[in-house]
Amino acid sequence: MDNSTKRYMSHNIIPVLWTESLQNAFEKMNTHHFRHLPVVSETNEVVGIISDRDFQRAMQVDASDYFSKRVAQAEFDPQAKVRDYMCWPIQTLPVNSTLVDAAKLMLEKKISALLVSNEAEIVGILTTDDMLKALIQTLQQKKEEHPIKDRLLSVFFNSPANELVDLANQAGI
């Protein structure tokens, strides 16, 4: 099984400028249905990451009202910039890293997304959602690998032979 970050990461990344207004960045994130956006400088250098949680912190309305649809749209201070709310320094992971490497780093740093790099170039983003998808796929694959063994065990445990094994075990045989 391929357990590399490359297989599970999102390849479609939409960066935002660190000088961009929070409102514009938020609209970009919602338009593309992302929860994390890499933040770049004017020279296209990655300088941070901004997440849906960062936007929630910056909202001028109560976040619970926004997410329960009690308000029409999120409102931010018109002067607020992405750089005011982004997280930095960023955590990156080489593209050839394993999911175990990624999970350890995410747990150690208590973060929900990693930028995946190939040398100096950002080639993707790996999030906790991507990690959960990998876990689900792995667990389903493991279950499908032994369907005959599972059926045999089921037949054995539901047969009189199982009772004989239990009796022999209880008798110390």
Side-chain angles (χ1 to χ4, degrees), residues 12 14-16 20-37 50-56 59 61 63 66-67 69 71-76:
N12 188 16
I14 308 292
V16 293
E20 197 167 330
S21 77
L22 222 46
Q23 187 70 47
N24 285 346
F26 183 75
E27 289 168 9
K28 196 180 284 189
M29 187 179 73
N30 281 340
T31 298
H32 295 284
H33 306 288
F34 293 152
R35 290 184 31 224
H36 302 85
L37 299 172
I50 192 160
S51 72
D52 56 349
R53 285 186 192 166
D54 300 320
F55 287 108
Q56 289 174 20
M59 286 181 187
V61 296
Y66 174 75
F67 289 105
K69 308 292 185 206
V71 294
Q73 71 179 46
E75 293 180 22
F76 302 97

Side-chain angles (χ1 to χ4, degrees), residues 38-49:
V39 180
V40 296
S41 67
E42 291 83 355
T43 59
N44 210 31
E45 178 186 354
V46 178
V47 294
I49 191 165

